[in-house]
Amino acid sequence: MANTTGVAVKMVNITKSFGSVLADDQVNFELLHGEIHGLLGENGAGKTTLMNILYGLHQPDSGEIIIQGEKKEISSPHKAVEEGIGMVHQHFMQIPTLTVIDNVILGLESLNSFKLNRARARERLVQISKIYGLQVDPDACIWQLSIGDRQRVEILKALYREVKILILDEPTSVLTPQETTELFHTIRKLVDAGLSVVFITHKLEEAMSITDRVTVLRDGKVVATRKTQDTNKAELACFMVGREVLFRLKREPYEDKQKYEVLRVENLTVKSDRGSLAVRDVTFNVQSGEIVGIAGVDGNGQTELVQALTGLRHVQGGSFWVDGVNLTNASPREILEHKVGHIPEEQNDALVANFTLIENLMLNRHYTDEFSKCGILDQGKMESRSRELIRQYDVKASSEKAIARTLSGGNKQKLIVAREIARDPRLLVAAHPTRGVDIGAEESIRNLLLEKRRQGGAILLVSTKLDEVLSLSDRILVMEKGRIVGEVTREEADIEKIGLLMAGTRTTT
């Protein structure tokens, strides 16, 4: 553990509600001087809300914040910075058209004479960059930077304001493995220089690797605080979800050795919403009983590729076939009827929040002969099938008539997976199928995908989680700037090699 000498921050009985939702319930949290303290929990556990309170973005309904032994009222982020607290948010607070230096000094009241002080500010920023190994071009515009560089700018922004307590909210969610390693090196440098760090994450490997202590939240309550050296992944996972998590996948072989090509993509070219090329001349295939994973940092064409293959985006060039049928620029309904399932990357694109579970499970099936006769829906059959799916896929809900928005994130995702797999698709396009779900739901969804593969289904898996791609895929394609820049088999797969390809390195040794 880092050399700690007392308590830097103490949060006592913090409670915060948003309407009827109790986000934090009598939470007690301590950050010691010179430590890296992991704040763990599934999505919705109250981690970010708690730290937003410490940073002044939210005000607690009750409870106290004590900084360096003194009770403080932190009414705004400006007040938090005055108390030496900085926060790097999961979604960066930056103006893309401004330079690095402009983003760093933006909002500082002391820079009233902007032209006079800008050169001095630039000089100081360069000095801080060198001290902490956070090299970035101070004159570059934010939009020109990589995700890793943009994160460095956020950290520099905090360091420029001389904070002593730094909150990092899911800091590795958009980083390559190499960028994550660099970030951990930087965090240790910051702690060596006297900072105290709160590291918000739901990734157990990272918590075990970088933290000195961990606090676990579940349903807005603290369920445990442990020295990292005195715990392990299994115990932390149990604290997070309230039950044992096995960390193993049922990877059984596809029984039919006569594989056939289900999806073929040739020279596909697709534009982004801004009109630039997002997918550039992409060619690959997916066979029966195979999971092909696409790895890459978010924003490298994966979203546009998935949308093109599911009829949600126009194809500019090239073609794709499903079971030999050319479906290029076909409608979503046509693609659906050719036995293509789709798990979108955003839950809001897959569910109607105010519909019941029955209505959501029957989307795209209600008009079929199984559930409709002469245009009249068979309510009994729909309810019976919905109850069966809810039970089979372990969706936790009060009943099949519950409203979808009342479900937790993990149960919403299981509902989507249940609907798509239950349609028995020949091809399943799964985009970030476990994004934002807890460890228990993640384990369940991954096993469902492997079972679909065992039955002969073809799955195109798009995920920024390298562990997910590596554990599920038979082959892995790496996308960078809209192109496939590498392909490896499961046996050849190596995190270092894939990470370099994700970062844009074409040749590895």
Side-chain angles (χ1 to χ4, degrees):
M1 178 183 275
N3 180 23
T4 56
T5 55
V7 178
V9 173
K10 189 171 185 177
M11 303 181 78
V12 182
N13 296 329
I14 298 294
T15 297
K16 178 65 180 178
S17 296
F18 297 96
S20 60
V21 177
L22 186 58
D24 286 311
D25 183 7
Q26 298 287 307
V27 172
N28 292 291
F29 175 81
E30 278 189 353
L31 174 68
L32 303 180
H33 285 293
E35 80 165 339
I36 304 169
H37 196 127
L39 195 54
L40 291 176
E42 61 190 52
N43 276 41
K47 311 182 299 293
T48 299
T49 298
L50 183 69
M51 288 301 106
N52 280 342
I53 289 170
L54 181 57
Y55 190 58
L57 285 169
H58 297 317
Q59 301 306 305
D61 300 331
S62 61
E64 295 180 348
I65 298 174
I66 300 167
I67 310 291
Q68 313 293 356
E70 293 184 26
K71 183 179 174 182
K72 300 288 184 179
E73 299 288 337
I74 303 180
S75 56
S76 68
H78 179 73
K79 180 66 175 174
V81 171
E82 284 185 351
E83 298 294 343
I85 302 168
M87 185 167 183
V88 176
H89 301 271
Q90 187 173 1
H91 303 290
F92 305 144
M93 306 292 187
Q94 296 168 341
I95 300 178
T97 54
L98 294 184
T99 64
V100 169
I101 184 61
D102 290 337
N103 271 274
V104 168
I105 64 177
L106 193 64
L108 288 177
E109 295 179 3
S110 58
L111 292 169
N112 292 325
S113 40
F114 186 76
K115 290 183 181 178
L116 179 65
N117 288 294
R118 195 172 183 279
R120 214 179 329 157
R122 185 185 186 282
E123 182 181 341
R124 182 163 168 251
L125 179 65
V126 170
Q127 183 183 20
I128 295 170
S129 299
K130 287 179 179 177
I131 291 171
Y132 295 105
L134 290 165
Q135 271 72 29
V136 62
D137 181 358
D139 301 312
C141 289
I142 293 295
W143 66 265
Q144 297 172 309
L145 302 180
S146 69
I147 293 293
D149 283 341
R150 289 184 63 182
Q151 187 177 70
R152 290 187 197 104
V153 173
E154 288 295 282
I155 296 173
L156 285 168
K157 195 188 296 184
L159 295 176
Y160 191 92
R161 287 156 175 75
E162 299 182 341
V163 303
K164 293 299 180 184
I165 296 157
L166 183 63
I167 305 163
L168 301 174
D169 188 2
E170 299 282 1
T172 67
S173 59
V174 293
L175 301 184
T176 67
Q178 285 78 12
E179 288 172 329
T180 297
T181 300
E182 289 174 15
L183 173 65
F184 285 4
H185 180 69
T186 298
I187 292 172
R188 292 187 179 101
K189 268 192 169 183
L190 295 174
V191 170
D192 289 343
L195 271 74
S196 305
V197 175
V198 180
F199 190 94
I200 304 174
T201 185
H202 63 268
K203 298 179 181 179
L204 297 176
E205 294 85 355
E206 292 182 355
M208 293 301 298
S209 171
I210 189 65
T211 65
D212 299 310
R213 288 195 302 153
V214 290
T215 291
V216 184
L217 293 180
R218 186 171 76 238
D219 297 329
K221 295 178 181 289
V222 173
V223 293
T225 296
R226 293 282 188 275
K227 288 184 179 180
T228 308
Q229 64 187 18
D230 295 337
T231 188
N232 54 59
K233 280 176 54 178
E235 183 181 48
L236 293 177
C238 186
F239 286 141
M240 285 172 67
V241 302
R243 66 170 178 81
E244 183 183 6
V245 179
L246 299 177
F247 293 107
R248 66 170 180 258
L249 296 175
K250 304 169 186 174
R251 190 178 182 84
E252 299 177 15
Y254 171 43
E255 294 169 356
D256 186 352
K257 295 182 180 178
Q258 298 297 315
K259 287 194 172 187
Y260 55 90
E261 187 176 73
V262 177
L263 172 67
R264 179 157 192 80
V265 178
E266 285 190 0
N267 307 118
L268 205 69
T269 298
V270 184
K271 286 186 177 179
S272 70
D273 291 336
R274 295 182 178 181
S276 59
L277 289 183
V279 179
R280 303 166 181 264
D281 201 30
V282 163
T283 297
F284 66 92
N285 72 345
V286 186
Q287 296 183 324
S288 58
E290 180 182 46
I291 298 178
V292 172
I294 294 186
V297 176
D298 253 344
N300 277 275
Q302 304 98 312
T303 296
E304 291 81 1
L305 174 63
V306 167
Q307 290 174 345
L309 295 177
T310 52
L312 299 172
R313 186 174 290 271
H314 187 76
V315 172
Q316 301 296 316
S319 304
F320 70 92
W321 295 260
V322 175
D323 281 338
V325 178
N326 191 331
L327 294 178
T328 311
N329 288 326
S331 69
R333 170 68 67 85
E334 289 176 288
I335 292 173
L336 176 87
E337 291 180 345
H338 277 86
K339 304 289 280 184
V340 177
H342 179 206
I343 301 172
E345 62 182 89
E346 296 292 342
Q347 287 183 347
N348 291 338
D349 295 333
L351 295 176
V352 181
N354 290 321
F355 276 16
T356 65
L357 305 196
I358 298 171
E359 291 166 330
N360 274 286
L361 285 167
M362 293 298 112
L363 287 174
N364 300 327
R365 301 183 72 189
H366 62 281
Y367 64 89
T368 64
D369 291 342
E370 184 181 0
F371 300 107
S372 175
K373 299 296 181 187
C374 301
I376 299 174
L377 297 176
D378 189 328
Q379 295 290 344
K381 275 191 176 179
M382 291 196 301
E383 287 185 20
S384 176
R385 181 59 175 149
S386 296
R387 280 195 298 271
E388 183 183 333
L389 291 175
I390 289 166
R391 182 173 60 252
Q392 181 183 347
Y393 289 86
D394 193 31
V395 179
K396 298 291 190 298
S398 56
S399 80
E400 69 276 6
K401 295 180 181 179
I403 303 301
R405 60 179 160 75
T406 64
L407 268 59
S408 69
N411 283 299
K412 286 178 186 174
Q413 195 68 10
K414 283 196 280 187
L415 189 74
I416 296 164
V417 172
R419 181 184 67 210
E420 296 306 306
I421 291 182
R423 289 180 46 243
D424 193 25
R426 300 289 293 278
L427 171 69
L428 177 62
V429 180
H432 310 283
T434 63
R435 174 180 280 175
V437 305
D438 63 66
I439 297 168
E442 182 178 274
E443 176 191 45
S444 173
I445 290 168
R446 289 179 179 179
N447 280 317
L448 288 169
L449 294 178
L450 285 173
E451 176 60 18
K452 180 64 182 173
R453 166 193 173 273
R454 188 191 67 78
Q455 295 171 356
I459 299 175
L460 179 66
L461 169 69
V462 176
S463 179
T464 53
K465 296 179 179 179
L466 264 187
D467 68 315
E468 183 161 81
V469 173
L470 289 167
S471 63
L472 294 179
S473 304
D474 298 287
R475 286 187 292 132
I476 300 168
L477 310 175
V478 182
M479 279 193 81
E480 194 262 338
K481 294 182 180 176
R483 299 184 188 276
I484 302 294
V485 295
E487 176 178 340
V488 293
T489 65
R490 175 181 176 79
E491 293 72 28
E492 299 167 338
D494 173 81
I495 285 184
E496 178 76 11
K497 182 177 183 180
I498 292 172
L500 288 170
L501 288 167
M502 286 169 61
T505 303
R506 296 292 192 275
T507 57
T508 60
T509 55

